[in-house]
Amino acid sequence: MTSPARPGARVLGFGTYRPVRVVTNDDLAQRVDTSDAWIRSRTGIATRRIADADETTVMMGTAAAEKALASSGIDPADVDLVIVATCTSPSQIPGAAPQIAHRLGSGTAGTFDINAGCAGFCYALSQAADTIRAGSARHVLVVATEKLSDYTDWDDRTTCVLLADGAGAAVVGAGERDEIGPAVWGHDGSRPEAIRVPGLGDNLFRMEGQAVFRWAIGLAPALRRICERAGVAPEQLAGIVPHQANLRIVEALANSLGAHNAVIARDVVDAGNTSAASVPLALSRLIDAGELRRGDPVLLFGFGAGLTYCGQVIRCP
Ligand code: UT7
């Protein structure tokens, strides 16, 4: 084997899909004992998008991927690998990745799904970057697509007010310099019951909200390690995009860094918690709004079921 010069990895473009239907807090209050005031004060959520029957994980993921490819200027046929992060596939088998690759026309791509709960996009992005750096692919398509509404107990007020649907995608390719920093990750596998969809007869999402909340807030030191591994000081960050679990968690994690120049993603306010899709949805919104520009360093951080987490600093496309 020869050792050619190692390429850098960078994100070439993002794409998103948000379901058409908007569900308000008042809509939910007609079914469960809750209120707009409670939901806003405890979660920051005002509205969320809930997919209709034809908006499947594969449909939403494909739509987000098409936009990411278009914004990257990459032909689907030039995608060598499709990685789909999801924890809400309608079936255990087959995975979503081959179906999305087929719909896109990425006929020669390798395909696989990963399930790392709400941390899925950041794990998948890390795998995509390493695949590019290793020279195993020219372009990797990362798709995070979630239809949490399929697994929501609409009579459980502690979870139904949080969960939502959507998809985000990124195209990763080679660049002269590395624009996707090293991943920092970890887990606490001692509490598998903290967030679960048991399966085998019980397909509904359950969460020990307070326990997860405390664990998530305690991850603040990981954000500092992500900056250190990337060689970026917190005050150099232009943006912070934590998983959009709950606005209180988003703000606590982001504020813990003292990144005074960084815009903080608050997509949760009208998108709810879309699990793995939340990081690319929230990041794309900041880019589309012109709040982040090409080359800006942004910290991404996913955390959730497992319990597991992963994050990295990337440069905006
Ligand atoms: O995405 C994966 C990662 N997920 C997360 O990071 C989510 C982490 N957890 C959370 O975001 C929060 O814990 C929740 C939003 C789930 C709950 O907020 P909280 O401030 O931790 O509320 P709590 O569980 O301490 O409940 C406070 C009270 C309880 O009533 P009592 O026992 O004090 O009488 C709950 O029964 O609020 C009640 N409650 C509600 N009241 C109105 C719980 N849910 C609701 C509701 N509406 N929807």
Side-chain angles (χ1 to χ4, degrees), residues 125-182:
L125 185 63
S126 159
Q127 296 310 295
D130 290 348
T131 300
I132 295 292
R133 290 191 276 253
S136 300
R138 294 164 300 159
H139 304 109
V140 181
L141 177 63
V142 176
V143 182
T145 179
E146 301 282 20
K147 191 168 179 181
L148 286 149
S149 59
D150 276 349
Y151 295 89
T152 301
D153 179 348
W154 292 103
D155 294 317
D156 176 6
R157 67 176 182 171
T158 69
T159 54
C160 75
V161 300
L162 294 169
L163 305 178
D165 304 330
V171 178
V172 180
E176 281 178 16
R177 64 171 186 167
D178 251 331
E179 297 191 4
I180 301 177

Side-chain angles (χ1 to χ4, degrees), residues 33-34 38 42-43 118 157-158 161-162 195 207 209-210 212-213 243 245-246 248-249 273 303-304:
D33 180 15
T34 191
W38 191 96
R42 297 297 183 113
T43 73
C118 307
R157 67 176 182 171
T158 69
V161 300
L162 294 169
I195 304 176
M207 180 170 67
Q210 274 193 16
V212 178
F213 191 100
H243 164 48
N246 177 325
R248 289 155 61 206
I249 298 174
N273 179 340
F303 57 87

Side-chain angles (χ1 to χ4, degrees), residues 26-274:
D26 287 337
D27 291 336
L28 295 175
Q30 290 180 11
R31 173 145 182 181
V32 291
D33 180 15
T34 191
S35 66
D36 180 56
W38 191 96
I39 300 169
R40 283 180 193 256
S41 67
R42 297 297 183 113
T43 73
I45 298 170
T47 61
R48 74 282 293 140
R49 301 290 183 105
I50 298 296
D52 285 325
D54 61 332
E55 294 172 307
T56 63
T57 48
V58 168
M59 177 268 165
M60 293 191 289
T62 305
E66 281 169 346
K67 290 183 194 156
L69 287 164
S71 95
S72 307
I74 299 299
D75 192 293
D78 293 328
V79 171
D80 293 330
L81 180 64
V82 177
I83 307 175
V84 173
T86 184
C87 58
T88 53
S89 262
S91 59
Q92 294 261 207
I93 299 172
Q99 299 176 69
I100 290 175
H102 175 72
R103 289 188 182 202
L104 292 170
S106 300
T108 59
T111 56
F112 66 95
D113 288 13
I114 68 164
N115 179 351
C118 307
F121 178 79
C122 293
Y123 275 105
L125 185 63
S126 159
Q127 296 310 295
D130 290 348
T131 300
I132 295 292
R133 290 191 276 253
S136 300
R138 294 164 300 159
H139 304 109
V140 181
L141 177 63
V142 176
V143 182
T145 179
E146 301 282 20
K147 191 168 179 181
L148 286 149
S149 59
D150 276 349
Y151 295 89
T152 301
D153 179 348
W154 292 103
D155 294 317
D156 176 6
R157 67 176 182 171
T158 69
T159 54
C160 75
V161 300
L162 294 169
L163 305 178
D165 304 330
V171 178
V172 180
E176 281 178 16
R177 64 171 186 167
D178 251 331
E179 297 191 4
I180 301 177
V184 170
W185 48 41
H187 77 283
D188 177 358
S190 70
R191 287 184 287 171
E193 70 292 342
I195 304 176
R196 64 197 185 284
V197 175
L200 300 177
D202 179 1
N203 254 348
L204 295 179
F205 181 97
R206 306 284 176 208
M207 180 170 67
E208 296 171 5
Q210 274 193 16
V212 178
F213 191 100
R214 281 195 294 273
W215 171 75
I217 299 290
L219 295 174
L223 276 70
R224 198 157 289 279
R225 288 203 303 280
I226 292 169
C227 289
E228 286 165 7
R229 292 295 313 278
V232 173
E235 52 275 17
Q236 293 176 301
L237 286 174
I240 304 177
V241 184
H243 164 48
Q244 303 288 295
N246 177 325
L247 190 61
R248 289 155 61 206
I249 298 174
V250 166
E251 291 183 340
L253 288 176
N255 292 334
S256 75
L257 256 184
H260 306 297
N261 301 313
V263 58
I264 300 170
R266 293 184 170 85
D267 196 46
V268 67
V269 173
D270 58 23
N273 179 340
T274 57

